Amino acid sequence: SAVAFPQKIATEQQSLMLVKRLLAVAVSCITYLRGIFPESAYGTRYMDDVCVKILREDKNCPGSTQLVKWMLGCYDALQKKYCTNYWLCLQTVTECYHFKFKYTHNGPLLDFSSKDKKSDSTVTCADTKKASILLIRKIYVLMQNLSPLPNDVCLTMKLLYYDEITPPDYQPPGFKEAKYEGMMFNEEPMHLNVGEVPTPFHMLKLKITTEKQRMENVDKNILKQEETAEPLQVCGVSRGDPEEENQDM
């Protein structure tokens, strides 16, 4: 019943497992709080002291089963180090959740492009845990304050790959080749840098693009969450690349 943080991340496999779990929690949190699937499509789990909902295969909800299969395909691409971007889009396009993955090749010493950290600093489990909880907290706050989605919303998923290492004929389970043609919004889009989670072997970043009008009711102060804030309980709640210029949460 728990999505446990490891006591240490000494191997690449331990890091990969944590990234997979964090991705599952983030996608589940987004779809649950945006009301994409019914309550029956989720199970209850605990991520440290935060109660979250985790998407599962529900025979009465084909959409949730399809999304779980897509996630497994994404895991396959992550394990092979092919996947660079994972987009969860609500078309046409209303919201887009952009997960970006980076892999390290020289072990646990790396620079996460932070001006406040030395390039040879190591990432501890405490760093990873703190960043993970903060990321989920920010997702929770934003999902609760965005304007409601249209009734006829449709969800799609796209994976982008590192071309230099991905075999030309590779397609993970559940996916097929598609042209990347960017995203088209009916209204003016707004970009948000939600956060990033480092491990000694991986980096996961989340950016959200949504119609600017959906952000009208969001108090910018609530997006500046402090790491020391009280744990948020996600259980039982009712219901893109100009990257460097995006707005930070």
Side-chain angles (χ1 to χ4, degrees):
S1 63
V3 183
F5 286 96
Q7 294 300 311
K8 62 179 182 177
I9 305 175
T11 68
E12 191 171 354
Q13 188 60 34
Q14 289 174 329
S15 175
L16 176 64
M17 182 61 67
L18 181 63
V19 170
K20 287 179 178 180
R21 288 176 177 173
L22 185 58
L23 180 61
V25 171
V27 171
S28 298
C29 184
I30 289 167
T31 57
Y32 179 76
L33 292 172
R34 295 306 272 153
I36 304 298
F37 302 116
E39 183 82 23
S40 61
Y42 298 87
T44 300
R45 295 290 185 271
Y46 287 86
M47 188 174 182
D48 196 48
D49 55 359
V50 178
C51 178
V52 296
K53 292 290 187 177
I54 299 294
L55 190 67
R56 61 188 179 189
E57 292 186 85
D58 180 1
K59 63 181 181 180
N60 296 319
C61 182
S64 69
T65 299
Q66 181 61 61
L67 183 51
V68 169
K69 290 180 179 178
W70 283 343
M71 292 291 296
L72 294 176
C74 181
Y75 289 171
D76 184 83
L78 277 173
Q79 187 152 340
K80 293 179 170 67
K81 297 185 180 180
Y82 295 161
C83 184
T84 173
N85 292 279
Y86 160 73
W87 290 8
L88 186 66
C89 301
L90 302 174
Q91 293 184 325
T92 52
V93 170
T94 302
E95 293 175 7
C96 180
Y97 301 86
H98 178 190
F99 295 85
K100 187 169 185 177
F101 307 98
K102 291 185 179 180
Y103 315 87
T104 65
H105 301 285
N106 301 315
L109 300 182
L110 66 162
D111 179 8
F112 286 118
S113 302
S114 172
K115 297 177 182 178
D116 301 322
K117 293 184 179 180
K118 296 179 180 180
S119 60
D120 62 349
S121 62
T122 59
V123 179
T124 67
C125 277
D127 295 331
T128 300
K129 180 177 179 179
K130 186 176 182 180
S132 299
I133 295 297
L134 183 58
L135 180 68
I136 299 302
R137 192 191 314 281
K138 285 185 174 181
I139 292 174
Y140 172 83
V141 172
L142 183 57
M143 296 302 98
Q144 288 292 87
N145 287 274
L146 284 176
S147 298
L149 291 169
N151 292 328
D152 58 349
V153 70
C154 176
L155 183 148
T156 63
M157 185 182 295
K158 295 181 184 290
L159 292 181
L160 277 66
Y161 310 116
Y162 287 105
D163 291 336
E164 62 272 19
I165 61 171
T166 305
D169 60 347
Y170 173 74
Q171 291 297 337
F175 288 83
K176 62 182 180 180
E177 186 174 0
K179 272 190 176 181
Y180 170 61
E181 301 174 343
M183 295 183 295
M184 296 294 295
F185 283 80
N186 290 330
E187 305 291 339
E188 181 183 357
M190 182 175 182
H191 308 283
L192 296 170
N193 291 318
V194 181
E196 58 186 45
V197 178
T199 81
F201 300 92
H202 295 85
M203 166 70 86
L204 182 151
K205 295 184 179 182
L206 173 60
K207 300 174 186 293
I208 294 178
T209 304
T210 187
E211 294 171 341
K212 192 172 183 179
Q213 63 182 10
R214 295 187 179 280
M215 293 293 297
E216 290 178 354
N217 297 326
V218 178
D219 181 351
K220 300 302 183 291
N221 291 324
I222 67 174
L223 300 182
K224 302 295 183 182
Q225 293 291 300
E226 296 293 336
E227 288 90 337
T228 56
E230 288 298 314
L232 290 171
Q233 299 300 306
V234 186
C235 288
V237 177
S238 301
R239 332 244 229 234
D241 197 0
E243 294 185 13
E244 304 309 320
E245 298 180 4
N246 292 353
Q247 179 174 340
D248 289 320
M249 287 181 65

